[in-house]
Amino acid sequence: AKRIQGNLDGTLSDLPGEFLSEWTNFMGRHGWDGEDQLFISSPRYQDDPVLLLARMRPNVGSGIKDPALTQQEKLSHRRQIMKLHEGRAASKRFTSPMALSRIRKRNLYLDHLLWIRNSPKLHISAVMGVLRASILQAEQSLIKAGRLDAKDDIFHLDLEEVDKALSNETYDLRELVKPRKVIFERALQANECPLLIDSRCRILRPDPPSHEDVEEGVIVGTAVSPGTATGKVRLMMKPTDHFERGEILAATVTSPAWTPLFVGASAVILQIGGVLQHGALCAREFGKPAVSNVDIHNALKTGMMVTVDGNVGTVRIIDER
């Protein structure tokens, strides 16, 4: 990142001009993107180029399948299924004369409308990026004035409090930030996202499968993307954690910020979620086996060699070292 910045500001000249031009154009078009785009507190590529480089790193080199090829394969398979459905509907033209027109209409929706489902989110994310840039400017002035202590402290305030602080120099921001920051940092240490909590704040969990039903060394979860793969587990708390190409991505849950990691992952293991969660959808789109509802933080550890079977929803531990 420092090397790129040095070439951009003229202190260095060891990168191709074409790369620098593409980098500048990308940042101009997509610099507002980054981790969890709808959260104004989440960093963007324009804040820290390391975020973008970290996304690119696992996807460089040989052995990486071009996502565009995977997309074309998925599209071709879908259209084969569409034709199959149209053929079945055509064969029922006397008993169900409207079936073919319904199937064709559905297929048109799939081809021409569903792709725009993310469009509103992208536009909102771009607005959030602009708003974040303005808030960071306000934060810098408050830090210089000694009214905030550290970067990102401003995100423990709401916009009304920020406006009040900018117009009233006696408004004590530290008293507001301190207790909120304690709660936030404690929440960051949590490694579980409970599905059910009762009225006494007890976490409810399903009964584990009996040993009679499960082989030793096999963890039973939920199949969310077909296929099998063997590799080393990489437990990750956030998408910026270190990740090597070919490893098995294990996370509590994923969001769009994690998407580039799916290209280089051999398989995916998730703690929560069903077949319509982000991680499951991405795993199927990229053709990666995936299993969900696995207690990753207690049953797995980084470096374990496992086999993920997304056809039946199991994770088999091969080597615990």
Side-chain angles (χ1 to χ4, degrees):
K2 292 181 179 178
R3 184 182 175 193
I4 294 173
Q5 188 57 48
N7 277 263
L8 291 174
D9 60 26
T11 57
L12 295 174
S13 58
D14 57 349
L15 289 176
E18 183 180 0
F19 169 82
L20 296 174
S21 177
E22 289 296 326
W23 179 273
T24 302
N25 289 337
F26 181 89
M27 284 298 183
R29 297 194 309 269
H30 307 291
W32 50 264
D33 203 354
E35 298 180 24
D36 298 323
Q37 309 97 317
L38 293 180
F39 289 89
I40 199 168
S41 59
S42 295
R44 305 310 203 253
Y45 296 146
Q46 61 195 11
D47 301 334
D48 185 1
V50 171
L51 294 174
L52 180 56
L53 295 174
R55 301 289 189 282
M56 297 167 61
R57 182 178 176 275
N59 306 322
V60 175
S62 60
I64 293 293
K65 187 174 183 180
D66 187 342
L69 295 178
T70 301
Q71 191 270 342
Q72 287 298 320
E73 291 172 1
K74 295 287 185 181
L75 177 62
S76 176
H77 179 67
R78 190 180 82 220
R79 286 183 172 165
Q80 289 176 8
I81 300 300
M82 286 177 173
K83 289 181 179 179
L84 177 63
H85 288 178
E86 288 182 8
R88 289 176 179 174
S91 68
K92 300 176 182 179
R93 60 184 180 276
F94 295 116
T95 57
S96 184
M98 300 301 295
L100 180 58
S101 65
R102 286 197 297 267
I103 291 296
R104 285 175 172 169
K105 188 174 183 179
R106 182 207 66 182
N107 290 346
L108 286 173
Y109 286 152
L110 289 172
D111 268 348
H112 300 291
L113 291 180
L114 286 187
W115 67 269
I116 68 172
R117 68 189 186 280
N118 278 336
S119 182
K121 178 185 175 182
L122 293 176
H123 287 291
I124 295 172
S125 298
V127 172
M128 287 293 185
V130 174
L131 182 57
R132 173 182 167 83
S134 297
I135 289 175
L136 290 179
Q137 290 179 355
E139 181 184 59
Q140 282 297 316
S141 66
L142 292 171
I143 291 176
K144 287 180 179 179
R147 301 177 64 194
L148 287 177
D149 294 323
K151 185 175 178 292
D152 292 339
D153 277 0
I154 198 168
F155 296 113
H156 296 292
L157 306 169
D158 61 36
L159 293 178
E160 184 177 347
E161 289 166 341
V162 173
D163 283 338
K164 187 173 181 179
L166 294 175
S167 61
N168 182 0
E169 295 183 358
T170 64
Y171 192 47
D172 192 344
L173 295 178
R174 286 193 177 92
E175 285 299 312
L176 292 174
V177 169
K178 186 176 179 180
R180 299 173 186 178
K181 196 171 182 178
V182 170
I183 295 172
F184 174 74
E185 291 176 348
R186 185 171 70 233
L188 289 179
Q189 303 305 312
N191 59 15
E192 184 172 2
C193 187
L195 291 175
L196 291 173
I197 301 176
D198 69 8
S199 59
R200 301 179 189 177
C201 291
R202 295 178 300 186
I203 298 174
L204 305 180
R205 299 182 177 88
D207 293 332
S210 66
H211 291 290
E212 298 176 358
D213 302 330
V214 182
E215 293 181 53
E216 185 177 355
V218 175
I219 304 169
V220 178
T222 301
V224 293
S225 180
T228 61
T230 299
K232 290 185 178 180
V233 171
R234 175 70 66 174
L235 284 177
M236 300 183 67
M237 295 296 292
K238 54 185 184 296
T240 52
D241 289 345
H242 182 74
F243 182 76
E244 293 289 340
R245 189 174 68 213
E247 291 181 327
I248 292 175
L249 170 61
T252 301
V253 69
T254 65
S255 67
W258 297 71
T259 302
L261 297 174
F262 283 73
V263 179
S266 58
V268 180
I269 305 173
L270 300 164
Q271 182 173 321
I272 62 171
V275 294
L276 295 181
Q277 65 160 306
H278 173 270
L281 291 169
C282 277
R284 293 196 295 274
E285 288 177 358
F286 285 99
K288 310 292 182 176
V291 174
S292 186
N293 296 321
V294 173
D295 186 5
I296 62 170
H297 297 287
N298 293 314
L300 302 174
K301 62 182 180 181
T302 294
M304 271 186 175
M305 183 68 70
V306 304
T307 295
V308 177
D309 191 333
N311 300 314
V312 296
T314 61
V315 177
R316 182 183 296 273
I317 299 175
I318 299 174
D319 189 345
E320 295 190 10
R321 291 177 294 176

